[in-house]
Every structure is written in structure tokens, then in C-alpha cells.
Amino acid sequence: MSGVSTVTEFILLSFPCSRKVQVLLFLLFFVSYILTLMGNGAIVCAVKLDPRLHTPMYLLLANFSFLEICYINTTVPNMLQNFLSETKTISFTACFFQFYFFFSMGTTETFLLPLMAFDRYLAICQPLHYPIITNNRLCMNLVALCWVTAFLCYPIPIYFITQLPFCGPNAIDHFVCDPGPLLALSCIPAPGIELSCSLLSSLIIFITFFFILGSYTLVLRAVLRVSSAAGRRKAFSTCGSHLVVVSLFYGALMVMYISPTSGNPSGIQKIVTLFYSSVTPLINPLIYSLRNKDMKAALRKIHMSTKISQSK
């Protein structure tokens, strides 16, 4: 039966509810989507337009914000369309393309966050060597490496899933093409593929998480040795935003993907996936900008420039 697939499209059930509630959800997520694009786009523009922010720390932040824009575009537009659609269908090919880009973007984020943590470690623990070790060119090369490596992680697992027979039913109890619900629709059990997907996700999450944990353990040790309270506050302020983002993102990922996905009820899968794929990209710009004086100054500068250009 391998490779024999009679299903040509899937139905993404998303959030089953009445038509009125569907419209309300559409409006809620549409506003959230626009705010996410504006917030992360503002950070990208601020870093690009303000020469004072042309440093590795802010280049990483701009790349992270650009990634968040790409990330929500793998799921939210299709979810918005489904809220207003009667059929809620997605083609077989489009479903697996969404699967690939959704997981590749998420993996890129798990690679960028440790890179940002290591940058903070070098800045705080190796301040004299930091300008020598890091520069903008090296930073962009490492960012490119994160993207390329992440996009090479899932083609093989996805290929094997596409070779499974899908002969019906074709309803996915989710708003995104996720491996757990997809594997549940296969006509034959595939515990090996499910376990391999879970192991791959677990390895990526744990290795990057412990790298971040190790980096911030060394940062904490260095900060506690600082004699002045003002110096400690500045160091904690520099790292605090990143730690909040890491906690939100990795907390949701661990709930979702450390154990095989079939072990999680569909309701929990939807809520957790919605949190790390839509909610965290929305609040990340607030977390980074509200705690960063340079970023707030750059955003104010852009706002003032916009007002002046409009008045003309």
C-alpha cells in the first residue's frame, strides 16, 4: 500500500463553532495578525534605518523579527481563510508544503535564539574580546547558517510521511498540517515515523535549550561578580527580554513536541500551537522594545519622521 494515496485534499477543522463565533475569531486573529506584522516590521525598519543599531545584537534581533513575520505567514493567512470558508479544504501538496515551512521556520527560531544568547554571553562575559570576536559579517553568516540548517532538517521525514497511504477520512482536527493529526489519518500505523519525528524535534529542542541555559548560567555568574548594583541591573536588563522570549517559546514547544504528538489531546495541540505560532510573535516586539532604550529611541525617531513626512 506504500505510496498509494486516494486523498487529494484535507479538511482543516480548525476551531469548530457557530458561524457568528467563526466571524468573531476571524476579526480577532486578523487584528492580531496585522499588529504582529506592524510590530515586527517596525523593529526591522528601526534596525535598518538607525546606524546606531548596526551591531550584532540588533542585527540578530532584526533577523528574529523578520523570521517571526515569515513564521506567522505559514499558518495565519490560511487559518483566516478557513474561518470564512464553508469547505475549509487544503490540497494534499499545499498541506505538506505548509508542514515543511512551518517546521523549518520554527526550527530556524530554535537556532536563532541560542545564537542571540551566545551573543549576550560574549558581550557580558568577554567584553574586551567581544568587538574582536564578533562583527556584522560574521553575525550575518551565522544567521544564514541557521536558516540553511533548519530548512535541511525536515525534508526526509516529510518525504516518508507523504509516502504513507491516505485513503480517508481526510479531516485534520487542527488549524495547521501537523505531523500528529496527519499520521493519525494514515491507513496503516507508522510508529517508526512518529517516533523519528518526535526524536528529531526533541533533539533540536533540548540541544538548543541547554545551549541557551549554559550561556545564561555563565552570564549569571559573571553578573553576580559585578560590584555595582547599576552594572548588575544593566546586565539583567540586557538579557531579561531574551529570557522572557525563550521561556515562552520553549515552554510551549516542550509541552507540544517532547512526547509523541498523538499523546496530546487535539484541544491542547491547538492551544499550544496557537500560542507559540501566533501569540509569541505578537508579544515579542513589545517585550524587546519596552525593555530596550535604544530600540525605543529608534522607534520614536521613525514615528517622528513619519509624522513629518505626512505633514508635508
Side-chain angles (χ1 to χ4, degrees):
M1 293 179 64
S2 177
V4 180
S5 179
T6 57
V7 170
T8 59
E9 62 182 16
F10 295 103
I11 299 172
L12 290 172
L13 296 179
S14 190
F15 300 95
C17 51
S18 67
R19 185 65 179 172
K20 287 184 178 180
V21 176
Q22 293 270 335
V23 173
L24 287 174
L25 287 174
F26 170 83
L27 293 173
L28 175 64
F29 285 109
F30 179 73
V31 172
S32 170
Y33 175 65
I34 297 300
L35 291 175
T36 302
L37 293 179
M38 291 174 62
N40 286 286
I43 289 179
V44 174
C45 291
V47 174
K48 181 177 177 60
L49 298 175
D50 194 331
R52 294 173 301 173
L53 301 184
H54 292 177
T55 63
M57 173 182 169
Y58 290 108
L59 288 176
L60 288 172
L61 178 55
N63 275 278
F64 185 75
S65 294
F66 174 72
L67 172 62
E68 295 285 53
I69 292 172
C70 297
Y71 196 28
I72 61 165
N73 277 302
T74 62
T75 57
V76 175
N78 186 69
M79 182 172 65
L80 292 174
Q81 180 185 345
N82 280 352
F83 282 136
L84 302 180
S85 171
E86 295 291 340
T87 58
K88 304 184 187 300
T89 57
I90 183 172
S91 70
F92 186 89
T93 304
C95 183
F96 281 96
F97 267 114
Q98 185 191 58
F99 180 0
Y100 172 68
F101 283 104
F102 179 65
F103 271 76
S104 296
M105 296 289 181
T107 304
T108 305
E109 190 159 333
T110 64
F111 291 162
L112 268 182
L113 288 172
L115 185 58
M116 294 168 76
F118 187 64
D119 175 73
R120 292 301 83 210
Y121 158 75
L122 289 175
I124 293 172
C125 299
Q126 306 287 337
L128 298 178
H129 297 96
Y130 180 69
I132 302 171
I133 298 172
T134 60
N135 55 65
N136 292 351
R137 184 177 179 180
L138 175 63
C139 174
M140 296 308 295
N141 287 339
L142 291 173
V143 167
L145 181 63
C146 289
W147 279 83
V148 172
T149 306
F151 273 73
L152 292 176
C153 286
Y154 281 94
I156 293 175
I158 290 175
Y159 170 77
F160 281 114
I161 295 176
T162 61
Q163 298 309 296
L164 293 172
F166 293 93
C167 45
N170 66 338
I172 299 174
D173 192 10
H174 212 308
F175 63 86
V176 64
C177 291
D178 197 69
L182 273 172
L183 288 169
L185 296 180
S186 173
C187 298
I188 59 172
I193 295 177
E194 184 172 0
L195 181 61
S196 65
C197 287
S198 179
L199 286 174
L200 178 59
S201 299
S202 299
L203 279 173
I204 292 171
I205 293 168
F206 272 123
I207 290 173
T208 55
F209 177 74
F210 282 119
F211 185 90
I212 294 171
L213 193 63
S215 297
Y216 276 112
T217 300
L218 296 174
V219 167
L220 182 61
R221 284 176 56 190
V223 169
L224 293 176
R225 291 174 185 166
V226 176
S227 56
S228 68
R232 286 196 297 270
R233 279 196 301 271
K234 183 178 179 181
F236 279 125
S237 176
T238 303
C239 302
S241 301
H242 189 245
L243 281 172
V244 172
V245 172
V246 166
S247 301
L248 292 173
F249 183 71
Y250 276 89
L253 284 184
M254 288 181 179
V255 170
M256 189 69 184
Y257 293 113
I258 294 304
S259 59
T261 53
S262 61
N264 295 322
S266 61
I268 294 178
Q269 287 187 30
K270 292 178 192 178
I271 293 170
V272 175
T273 305
L274 186 67
F275 182 80
Y276 73 77
S277 66
S278 300
V279 177
T280 54
L282 172 65
I283 62 178
N284 283 350
L286 294 174
I287 294 171
Y288 280 116
S289 61
L290 290 176
R291 296 180 60 90
N292 190 299
K293 293 180 180 178
D294 293 334
M295 183 57 67
K296 285 192 287 187
L299 291 172
R300 278 196 296 268
K301 184 178 177 181
I302 292 175
H303 179 65
M304 291 300 296
S305 300
T306 305
K307 288 181 69 176
I308 293 170
S309 62
Q310 286 176 347
S311 64
K312 292 180 179 179

